[in-house]
Amino acid sequence: MDLSSWILGLALTVLTIAIHTTAVVLMAFGLEARIRARVDETPDLRRAIPTVIVRIGAVALILAALHGLEGVLWALAYWWLGALGSFGEASVYALSTMTTFELPGLTLPSRFQMISALEAVNGVLLFGISTAFLFAVIQVHWQLLSHRHERSNDH
């Protein structure tokens, strides 16, 4: 067991989760302010639906960019350690490992395999955070749309 691999892998896991959760919390505050400002308004449902689609799409895009940034951090570690020959290879390897997708022909020397395994665990955690947040955003917007639909039927 290589203790340095564990330390580096766990440090990168803590760093990427801190980045991810910070961004998610900031997005949540931003969305809450926008949603709260519009709760009392009763816009036409035909206008509300595209707004919801744009918001959910923007959240998904930001989350994808975050995963990309976090993959680059892992790639920098692989490249800095000399585990892969180029930053391009390290980037492809890091992003595929984060998604637990194995690329044939692109492997690490055995002394770096623990870092790779820890990155896969990190990826599962990050995608779990993203999925939970995206679900929460969809759920809040669905409740708002349903409530608006009910109010428009009452009039």
Side-chain angles (χ1 to χ4, degrees):
M1 178 175 82
D2 183 14
L3 186 60
S4 61
S5 290
W6 274 95
I7 292 170
L8 179 60
L10 292 175
L12 280 168
T13 297
V14 169
L15 175 63
T16 56
I17 289 176
I19 290 168
H20 209 79
T21 53
T22 299
V24 164
V25 167
L26 291 173
M27 281 192 290
F29 283 133
L31 283 170
E32 180 191 26
R34 289 179 187 270
I35 291 168
R36 186 176 295 166
R38 299 220 165 94
V39 166
D40 294 330
E41 298 175 13
T42 313
D44 182 1
L45 197 58
R46 288 174 290 177
R47 288 185 51 208
I49 291 172
T51 301
V52 169
I53 291 169
V54 167
R55 283 187 189 158
I56 292 169
V59 167
L61 185 61
I62 292 167
L63 290 171
L66 276 170
H67 286 283
L69 169 69
E70 293 147 0
V72 165
L73 293 175
W74 282 93
L76 286 169
Y78 292 128
W79 189 46
W80 178 72
L81 291 169
L84 292 160
S86 70
F87 180 70
E89 279 185 344
S91 296
V92 170
Y93 183 84
L95 287 172
S96 64
T97 300
M98 182 179 282
T99 62
T100 68
F101 178 76
E102 186 176 345
L103 287 174
L106 194 56
T107 58
L108 295 179
S110 61
R111 69 180 188 272
F112 298 116
Q113 289 177 348
M114 180 55 70
I115 295 172
S116 178
L118 289 169
E119 185 194 0
V121 169
N122 179 236
V124 169
L125 292 171
L126 292 172
F127 283 107
I129 292 167
S130 292
T131 302
F133 182 64
L134 196 55
F135 178 79
V137 170
I138 292 168
Q139 188 175 28
V140 165
H141 282 88
W142 175 254
Q143 289 171 349
L144 287 173
L145 288 174
S146 297
H147 184 67
R148 285 184 177 146
H149 183 66
E150 289 169 7
R151 284 194 302 188
S152 67
N153 285 340
D154 290 343
H155 290 102

